[in-house]
Amino acid sequence: MPGKTRTQTPKTNPVRVRRARTDIREALLESALVEFGAKGFDGASTRSIAKRVEAHQPQINYHFESKAALWTASVDYLFGLLGQALRGMVPADLAGVGAQEIGPAFAEGIRRFVRFAAEHPELNQIMVHEGTAATDRLAWMTETHVKPFFDAIQPAWQLLRDAGVAAPIDGQILYYVLVGAASLPYVNAPEVRLLTGREPDDPEWIEAHASGLVAILLPGLGV
Amino acid sequence: MPGKTRTQTPKTNPVRVRRARTDIREALLESALVEFGAKGFDGASTRSIAKRVEAHQPQINYHFESKAALWTASVDYLFGLLGQALRGMVPADLAGVGAQEIGPAFAEGIRRFVRFAAEHPELNQIMVHEGTAATDRLAWMTETHVKPFFDAIQPAWQLLRDAGVAAPIDGQILYYVLVGAASLPYVNAPEVRLLTGREPDDPEWIEAHASGLVAILLPGLGV
DNA sequence: TAGTCTTATTATCAATCGATAATAGTGAGG
DNA sequence: CCTCACTATTATCGATTGATAATAAGACTA
């Protein structure tokens, strides 16, 4: 879509004030997350992303290659945070691990995921925006970031089902039940405020939500 | 964004073939649903909506007032279908109705909602696209269509909780758990195909999904 | 059949989009 | 103090957007 050649000579302009910033890359990254999460890739404009942190639109193409590259960098950054939040939740090797150990660990993983979804709603907002159409962005995000997460859950869930701790739901379906149930109040927080008058960022909401999910997904946990 | 005045006189052109259609309004409506669901309001262009049903872009502004009015008409139409699918699921008056009657009715409501979400993914796609930002569209949709649905569920859920049939989850939180868990595989069907290789429109998937949700949300139903 | 109303088709508008060229401050190294 | 690499700022490009004017083809009516 871009212009390729320049025919006219820009006018010289007299005075120019200039702001120097060292955190501009990170500022643009986080602004992009908020805008992409709220409006989707197409709905978010590079001008609004820049304006939100008092930067200029061409700085995006300078510090990143393109709008698409900024999106990729933002998603990389956010999945990195998710990885930190869930680090060590699922053992790499399940051999010899019993349901009595992995059950509480899985429950804690659910709680952490709910808290992360509340603290960083942009992640699930972007995932759900992108997941509605088969784009290159979706293919990249799914293969790079979602699949490892998805694959790690499957054997642990099967172990818990065999032990009678987990609810009777197929593992692949469970993934979407879990992610959907855990993220929607934060993905659609503006709607929650209109519909309930409550604030889904309230710790009371978040902990009640997390406990509810653990109760219905792992009914065999309670001693 | 519109042009206001016309200064030049369009050229006369020789031959013009013309397609007459009686179903053009409905065709545009359903095309709009698919496009708005897949790409969001901003991402969907009126040209792509028209092209999908072999119509011309200005016909949208002729048969509807604007892109926004087309969106409103589409959402009205889709919530009408949802209302039909769920008709009579929740009694208007709960006085004197016991949990042993409303329990199975609620379970059937869950199953119907899952089937509707699978058959008309555009509804939840649009809801989740719009719910991420506090726009006028969200305010209208929430007040007009979502709130009645939300309000109808609350007393029934409370009755089921008191009877020990329903899972221990606050009613307002339950709404988002239910909607999120019931709709995500269909909202993000393109991602499901990439991630699992399975087809979420498969009746086997849908019924397994619905049964799983009933089992975890109404654990006290099984005799 | 002539006239009129509806609406399909074409052409074009102003606004906005992402991208890039041109210009000009700024600070580090000499 | 000067130089120069870096990057902030401005201006502008071509493409696309939603909307509307102009035109014309059918359908219906008298």
Side-chain angles (χ1 to χ4, degrees):
Chain A
M1 313 88 177
K4 291 294 180 351
T5 57
R6 184 85 337 134
T7 53
Q8 277 177 269
T9 304
K11 299 184 292 188
T12 66
N13 48 326
V15 189
R16 215 140 120 171
V17 283
R18 178 188 165 123
R19 282 174 44 122
R21 277 222 254 172
T22 58
D23 62 332
I24 185 64
R25 242 192 89 100
E26 195 176 343
L28 288 172
L29 216 57
E30 291 177 358
S31 175
L33 284 174
V34 175
E35 294 283 317
F36 285 139
K39 309 178 187 173
F41 183 82
D42 289 310
S45 76
T46 54
R47 282 174 176 81
S48 66
I49 292 170
K51 193 170 195 174
R52 158 181 285 271
V53 290
E54 296 180 275
H56 295 90
Q57 180 249 350
Q59 292 184 271
I60 288 177
N61 287 74
Y62 182 81
H63 289 282
F64 302 87
E65 183 191 335
S66 63
K67 183 185 182 182
L70 172 62
W71 180 89
T72 297
S74 304
V75 172
D76 275 338
Y77 170 70
L78 208 39
F79 271 96
L81 292 182
L82 176 64
Q84 285 180 26
L86 298 184
R87 193 187 304 284
M89 279 298 94
V90 176
D93 188 3
L94 287 176
V97 180
Q100 53 270 52
E101 299 151 47
I102 200 148
F106 203 98
E108 176 63 14
I110 292 175
R111 292 180 191 279
R112 289 197 194 181
F113 185 72
V114 170
R115 294 185 195 115
F116 187 87
E119 190 172 2
H120 301 285
E122 300 85 12
L123 179 72
N124 290 294
Q125 284 174 337
I126 291 174
M127 281 205 287
V128 85
H129 278 312
E130 296 297 329
T132 55
T135 63
D136 289 345
R137 291 194 304 277
L138 176 64
W140 171 83
M141 183 172 66
T142 301
E143 193 62 33
T144 307
H145 293 297
V146 183
K147 201 163 200 313
F149 181 59
F150 177 85
D151 287 340
I153 286 179
Q154 300 303 317
W157 182 255
Q158 190 56 49
L159 193 66
L160 289 168
R161 283 205 58 194
D162 293 341
V165 173
I169 301 181
D170 167 81
Q172 298 187 332
I173 296 178
L174 163 94
Y175 170 80
Y176 285 95
V177 168
L178 171 59
V179 172
S183 65
L184 189 58
Y186 317 108
V187 166
N188 281 3
E191 192 207 67
V192 172
R193 297 185 184 104
L194 290 173
L195 203 51
T196 70
R198 292 170 69 185
E199 177 56 58
D201 294 337
D202 184 346
E204 197 176 336
W205 172 296
I206 296 170
E207 293 307 316
H209 182 201
S211 294
L213 285 188
V214 170
I216 64 177
L217 293 177
L218 302 174
L221 252 197
V223 184
Chain B
M1 311 87 174
K4 292 291 180 353
T5 57
R6 183 84 339 129
T7 52
Q8 276 177 271
T9 304
K11 299 185 292 186
T12 66
N13 47 328
V15 189
R16 214 141 120 172
V17 284
R18 179 188 162 120
R19 281 175 44 125
R21 277 222 255 173
T22 57
D23 63 331
I24 185 64
R25 242 192 88 100
E26 193 177 344
L28 287 172
L29 217 57
E30 292 178 358
S31 175
L33 284 173
V34 175
E35 294 284 317
F36 284 140
K39 308 176 186 174
F41 183 82
D42 290 310
S45 77
T46 54
R47 281 174 177 80
S48 66
I49 291 170
K51 193 168 196 176
R52 158 182 286 273
V53 290
E54 296 180 274
H56 294 92
Q57 180 249 349
Q59 292 184 269
I60 288 178
N61 287 74
Y62 181 79
H63 290 281
F64 303 86
E65 184 190 335
S66 62
K67 182 185 183 182
L70 172 61
W71 181 89
T72 298
S74 305
V75 171
D76 275 337
Y77 170 69
L78 208 38
F79 271 96
L81 293 182
L82 176 64
Q84 285 181 27
L86 298 183
R87 193 186 305 284
M89 279 298 95
V90 176
D93 188 2
L94 287 176
V97 180
Q100 53 270 53
E101 299 150 47
I102 199 150
F106 203 97
E108 176 62 15
I110 292 175
R111 293 180 191 277
R112 289 197 195 180
F113 185 72
V114 170
R115 293 184 196 117
F116 187 87
E119 190 172 1
H120 301 285
E122 300 85 12
L123 179 72
N124 289 295
Q125 283 173 338
I126 291 173
M127 280 205 287
V128 84
H129 277 312
E130 295 298 329
T132 56
T135 63
D136 289 345
R137 291 193 304 276
L138 176 64
W140 171 83
M141 182 172 66
T142 301
E143 193 61 33
T144 307
H145 292 297
V146 183
K147 201 165 199 314
F149 180 58
F150 177 85
D151 288 340
I153 286 179
Q154 300 302 317
W157 182 255
Q158 189 57 49
L159 194 66
L160 290 168
R161 282 204 58 194
D162 293 341
V165 173
I169 300 181
D170 167 82
Q172 297 186 332
I173 295 178
L174 164 95
Y175 170 81
Y176 285 95
V177 168
L178 171 59
V179 173
S183 64
L184 189 57
Y186 317 108
V187 166
N188 280 3
E191 193 207 68
V192 172
R193 298 185 184 103
L194 290 173
L195 204 52
T196 71
R198 291 170 69 185
E199 177 55 60
D201 294 337
D202 183 346
E204 196 177 335
W205 172 295
I206 297 170
E207 293 308 315
H209 182 200
S211 294
L213 285 188
V214 170
I216 64 178
L217 292 177
L218 302 175
L221 252 198
V223 184

